Amino acid sequence: MDLQQKIAALQQMIDESNRIVFFGGAGVSTESGIPDFRSVDGLYNQKYKFPPETILSHSFFLSETEEFYRFYQEKMLELDAKPNAAHRKLAELEQAGKLTAVITQNIDGLHQAAGSKRVYELHGSVHRNYCRRCGKFYDARYVKACGGVPKCECGGTLKPDVVLYEESLDDQCITDSVNAIAQADMMIIGGTSLAVYPAAGLIQYFRGKNLVVINKGQTHRSTGARLTIDAPIGEVMRQIQVSSH
């Protein structure tokens, strides 16, 4: 099948499904100009003394808070990014009553910005930052504008509500995601190589009929998908027509 035939097959599956769940990763946001730091090489190592995986770890946040924020403010807070065709189409599918949940590994909040209501953020969000002393919340613009280590008015250090390496995922978020996947009749996996666990393990709970993978490049595990489309997800989703069920 060529790309257009695959998109037609995807359209048919969407038309016949009423409980679609979308599971997405970094590739969903790269079309909005947010870089996927896993696919970047060299650059970081010249500029930062440590690889991203080290910097974005819980222990590094505690021991080298200033260096953590230097990287985080510069590389993780792309606050002018706008939702792309994939984000918008998923929000449309939810409004039409076809899509029941978006489960995302991204922390950029673009699904909500596009209008999606039920979004499970496996790795948290840059838009929520809390004081480790008093618990008060601050938005991402405050953290970006601070320069250096952002502080609360009480003097405490802020921590982003994102899941760093060495931290565990939120139990409630996992439970909600598993329930949504288990009840879905269609699952679209997009923009992820399925390399990150435990998030990638969630797809084993899918019992529905139509499993689709839309990803530019290889995925790291066999999904048993009925349809695999090797193309940017925004380009594919842009062509889907949405009708209410």
Side-chain angles (χ1 to χ4, degrees):
M1 281 199 289
D2 66 16
L3 182 58
Q4 286 316 120
Q5 289 170 314
K6 286 188 170 190
I7 290 173
L10 174 64
Q11 179 75 61
Q12 193 179 342
M13 289 178 185
I14 288 173
D15 289 345
E16 64 185 37
S17 303
N18 297 311
R19 292 187 310 284
I20 303 168
V21 164
F22 178 80
F23 181 94
V28 180
S29 294
T30 48
E31 288 171 76
S32 292
I34 293 182
D36 170 9
F37 73 78
R38 281 179 180 280
S39 60
V40 175
D41 48 39
L43 269 180
Y44 285 135
N45 303 333
Q46 295 153 23
K47 186 161 186 190
Y48 298 94
K49 301 188 206 73
F50 307 91
E53 280 85 352
T54 302
I55 297 175
L56 296 173
S57 68
H58 181 78
S59 50
F60 194 90
F61 171 79
L62 295 179
S63 63
E64 307 275 351
T65 312
E66 207 162 311
E67 186 69 10
F68 170 88
Y69 268 115
R70 192 162 81 88
F71 178 87
Y72 182 81
Q73 284 156 336
E74 201 170 305
K75 292 290 178 193
M76 307 298 286
L77 296 179
E78 303 278 348
L79 302 183
D80 296 324
K82 299 280 185 284
N84 61 49
H87 297 108
R88 292 193 297 271
K89 194 66 70 173
L90 291 165
E92 226 179 291
L93 284 165
E94 184 184 44
Q95 278 145 20
K98 303 277 286 176
L99 181 128
T100 56
V102 167
I103 301 165
T104 181
Q105 301 175 77
N106 298 336
I107 56 175
D108 50 46
L110 289 177
H111 285 292
Q112 290 93 329
S116 288
K117 299 284 184 273
R118 182 170 293 173
V119 182
Y120 299 126
E121 296 174 307
L122 294 173
H123 297 156
S125 171
V126 299
H127 296 286
R128 298 186 299 270
N129 304 274
Y130 62 91
C131 172
R132 300 185 71 226
R133 186 185 292 172
C134 75
K136 184 177 174 181
F137 272 81
Y138 289 83
D139 66 13
R141 294 215 176 267
Y142 177 84
V143 171
K144 179 99 172 174
C146 271
V149 178
K151 299 282 189 186
C152 176
E153 54 195 19
C154 81
T157 299
L158 300 191
K159 180 179 184 299
D161 189 14
V162 300
V163 179
L164 301 175
Y165 290 96
E166 306 163 353
E167 294 178 349
S168 53
L169 304 191
D170 180 74
D171 286 343
Q172 190 58 54
C173 187
I174 291 283
T175 302
D176 292 341
S177 299
V178 166
N179 287 341
I181 292 169
Q183 290 162 25
D185 58 5
M186 177 175 184
M187 185 167 176
I188 302 172
I189 298 172
T192 173
S193 59
L194 295 175
V196 180
Y197 282 82
L202 290 174
I203 63 172
Q204 72 194 35
Y205 295 98
F206 179 65
R207 298 280 177 271
K209 180 180 167 191
N210 293 323
L211 180 61
V212 178
V213 174
I214 307 169
N215 188 51
K216 201 157 169 37
Q218 289 295 306
T219 51
H220 281 259
R221 50 170 291 179
S222 160
T223 55
R226 286 189 70 184
L227 180 64
T228 302
I229 304 177
D230 182 355
I233 183 154
E235 198 179 294
V236 173
M237 295 302 287
R238 182 181 286 115
Q239 299 178 59
I240 295 300
Q241 303 300 312
V242 179
S243 56
S244 303
H245 68 162

